[in-house]
Amino acid sequence: MILLDKAEFASHDRLRAHQAAAWARQGYYVARHSAFYRDLWQGAAPPADLADLPALPLSDKSQLRVAQADHPPFGHYMAAPRRDAVRLHRTSGTTGQAMNLALSARDCAVTETVGGRCQSSAGLTPDHTVVHCLNYQMWMGGLTDHMTLQATGALVVPFGVGSTELLVRTIREVGITAISCTPSYPAVLERVIAERFPDLTPRDLGLKLGLFGGEAGLDDPAFRTRLQEVWGMEPRNANYGVSDVFCNFAAQCEHDTRLHFMGADVLWPELIEPETGSPLSLAAGQTGELVLTHLVRDCQPLVRFRSGDIITVDETAPCTCGRTGFRFRVVGRSDDMVVVRGLNLFPTMVAAVLNRYPTLSGDYRIPLDTPPPYDSLPVTAELAKGRDAAPGLAEEIAQAIKRDLGATARVTLVPHGTFPLTEGKTRRVQRTYT
């Protein structure tokens, strides 16, 4: 059996037996059919026991980019015949060259099932009508995430991005009760409602459930509270994934806002120290970079793939909801980390400070125009609509960052509307140096 029925609720022993059998098939398949991994492993055979995977070298996005450039369009880590691929997606390219992703029919089915577990965990049911507002133009977050929403039995409205005025009218006319989008998108909707629908408030749209993914932000209680107060909906972290691996394999439940790992029957997780690559125990309290290995994948199987995401594991015991996967928070991306006088800082940490100020909109940027090292953190924060910067506010925020994060900050306040409306992923750290 490829998938384990109700794997998100499975016991440790039941999962380990399934994982061992799955890896026995997958490890052999990769070694035989992936030229990329044969080269990377230099002829070494994959270990029989998943616990021994650290004996193999890590793989990363930069290697895959070279592989696709040298062996277009899918790279020589494509293990299945091209005729077996039934769908092509492309990564967003927010961290470099966009990548072509190939999926077989089985890859699609597994992806949709695992993603459906996540959307269900976050509260989506057949009683909901959900509008999906992510980019359908080749990006995995469009069609594939649509199918994970549909796997819950909900009625899905495939809206995509753009035409925001039409979206507002559609939500009201159709009676839509849930929205799937990035955490930054409600701010876009708020601006459009204020400018084009002066008689409406966000609450008037009647949305009850917000299913968010693609960006950080939902770990911040202040941000969640603001969404609840402004929109009258329950915000849920419903869609965590790594495009090259699985579009969605972790989400929260109604009892716990932390992400539950829900792909254990098809995905093997590890933690490593991001600087050295040394293995770390996947235990409560541990922070490290998430490394992932496919236990089932036809077209582009990955083994010990560095996700670039730094996570903290909070709990490994089963949740009140009955799901048994470990629970974690995403601290940030390794390529978004800014080191200020030896302190590792991530945008989510800055956001947690900024979101405490009602005079700010919550939108911000960290502009870096020189290469490291840095002795201070530049932060450009946007004021809330109709608010002016009180004397000393920028310095007050800088002192709060110093007190909470330990780093000296240079805070600049800009008027509301300074930053462009963003319907896709918002890039907070902006490196303009070469």
Side-chain angles (χ1 to χ4, degrees):
M1 181 181 291
I2 298 168
L3 284 159
L4 189 62
D5 185 44
K6 297 188 181 299
E8 66 270 40
F9 298 100
S11 67
H12 174 79
D13 290 344
R14 185 167 171 242
L15 271 174
R16 287 309 299 265
H18 177 91
Q19 290 165 335
W23 174 243
R25 294 188 297 267
Q26 186 72 7
Y28 172 80
Y29 176 79
V30 173
R32 181 171 183 178
H33 297 286
S34 174
F36 172 86
Y37 281 107
R38 283 200 302 273
D39 292 346
L40 182 65
W41 298 343
Q42 297 182 340
D49 193 328
L50 281 163
D52 296 327
L53 272 186
L56 294 175
L58 295 159
S59 54
D60 61 34
K61 192 65 166 277
S62 64
Q63 294 169 325
L64 301 190
R65 288 194 180 104
V66 171
Q68 286 209 353
D70 291 346
H71 305 274
F74 296 121
H76 65 319
Y77 59 101
M78 177 76 166
R82 181 164 174 157
R83 66 177 178 273
D84 287 356
V86 299
R87 192 187 297 172
L88 181 152
H89 287 285
R90 186 164 289 164
T91 63
S92 60
T94 54
T95 59
Q97 171 192 326
M99 302 292 292
N100 294 319
L101 307 176
L103 297 173
S104 70
R106 185 172 75 162
D107 294 339
C108 291
V110 171
T111 297
E112 290 155 18
T113 299
V114 175
R117 294 171 185 166
C118 298
Q119 306 286 6
S120 293
S121 172
L124 192 64
T125 71
D127 294 327
H128 285 102
T129 299
V130 56
V131 62
H132 186 44
C133 300
L134 293 179
N135 185 1
Y136 279 76
Q137 191 173 353
M138 297 184 71
W139 187 35
M140 185 77 77
L143 175 61
T144 303
D145 283 349
H146 174 122
M147 299 306 293
T148 69
L149 295 167
Q150 193 169 298
T152 68
L155 173 61
V156 187
V157 180
F159 198 88
V161 297
S163 304
T164 310
E165 287 183 63
L166 176 60
L167 173 60
V168 173
R169 291 195 296 271
T170 302
I171 291 173
R172 300 190 75 204
E173 292 168 2
V174 177
I176 289 170
T177 55
I179 186 170
S180 168
C181 60
T182 60
S184 60
Y185 189 54
V188 176
L189 276 172
E190 287 171 32
R191 290 191 194 181
V192 171
I193 291 170
E195 293 169 4
R196 307 294 174 85
F197 300 89
D199 296 332
L200 291 180
T201 69
R203 277 180 172 266
D204 294 330
L205 269 60
L207 294 172
K208 302 302 180 186
L209 179 65
L211 303 165
F212 297 105
E215 295 171 349
L218 264 291
D219 287 328
D220 183 7
F223 183 72
R224 284 179 177 268
T225 298
R226 184 185 180 280
L227 285 173
Q228 290 167 334
E229 292 175 348
V230 172
W231 287 88
M233 67 180 172
E234 180 62 31
R236 297 278 169 83
N237 207 346
N239 190 346
Y240 170 76
V242 177
S243 293
D244 300 272
V245 185
F246 272 103
C247 73
N248 188 2
F249 55 84
Q252 70 166 99
C253 73
E254 62 178 325
H255 302 285
D256 194 333
T257 60
R258 293 167 295 189
L259 292 163
H260 298 48
F261 185 81
M262 282 186 274
D265 54 336
V266 294
L267 201 56
W268 179 260
E270 299 176 65
L271 283 186
I272 62 167
E273 205 289 320
E275 296 294 327
T276 65
S278 301
L280 298 172
S281 61
L282 207 156
Q286 189 70 266
T287 296
E289 182 178 347
L290 181 63
V291 171
L292 297 163
T293 293
H294 282 125
L295 299 180
V296 176
R297 182 54 65 108
D298 292 331
C299 283
Q300 292 171 314
L302 299 176
V303 178
R304 304 204 74 216
F305 179 73
R306 300 185 66 155
S307 71
D309 284 348
I310 310 300
I311 71 167
T312 294
V313 177
D314 287 325
E315 298 283 352
T316 55
C319 178
T320 303
C321 69
R323 293 174 176 87
T324 54
F326 66 92
R327 282 166 278 164
F328 66 99
R329 292 171 288 118
V330 180
V331 179
R333 285 197 54 80
S334 58
D335 48 20
D336 271 347
M337 185 173 73
V338 182
V339 181
V340 178
R341 294 196 173 189
L343 293 171
N344 296 340
L345 303 178
F346 295 93
T348 51
M349 301 162 69
V350 175
V353 176
L354 300 181
N355 283 334
R356 296 204 298 266
Y357 290 85
T359 50
L360 302 179
S361 71
D363 207 354
Y364 67 97
R365 301 292 186 272
I366 299 173
L368 303 175
D369 54 13
T370 62
Y374 302 110
D375 59 7
S376 63
L377 183 72
V379 178
T380 303
E382 185 184 76
L383 292 162
K385 185 177 178 64
R387 306 298 289 266
D388 295 320
L393 178 60
E395 180 57 28
E396 179 185 342
I397 296 169
Q399 290 176 0
I401 292 174
K402 177 68 173 178
R403 181 182 64 249
D404 292 2
L405 307 184
T408 299
R410 293 179 283 110
V411 177
T412 303
L413 301 178
V414 296
H416 184 78
T418 295
F419 298 128
L421 299 178
T422 304
E423 296 175 328
K425 293 184 180 181
T426 300
R427 195 73 174 154
R428 303 296 186 186
V429 178
Q430 299 183 324
R431 292 179 169 86
T432 57
Y433 58 86
T434 56

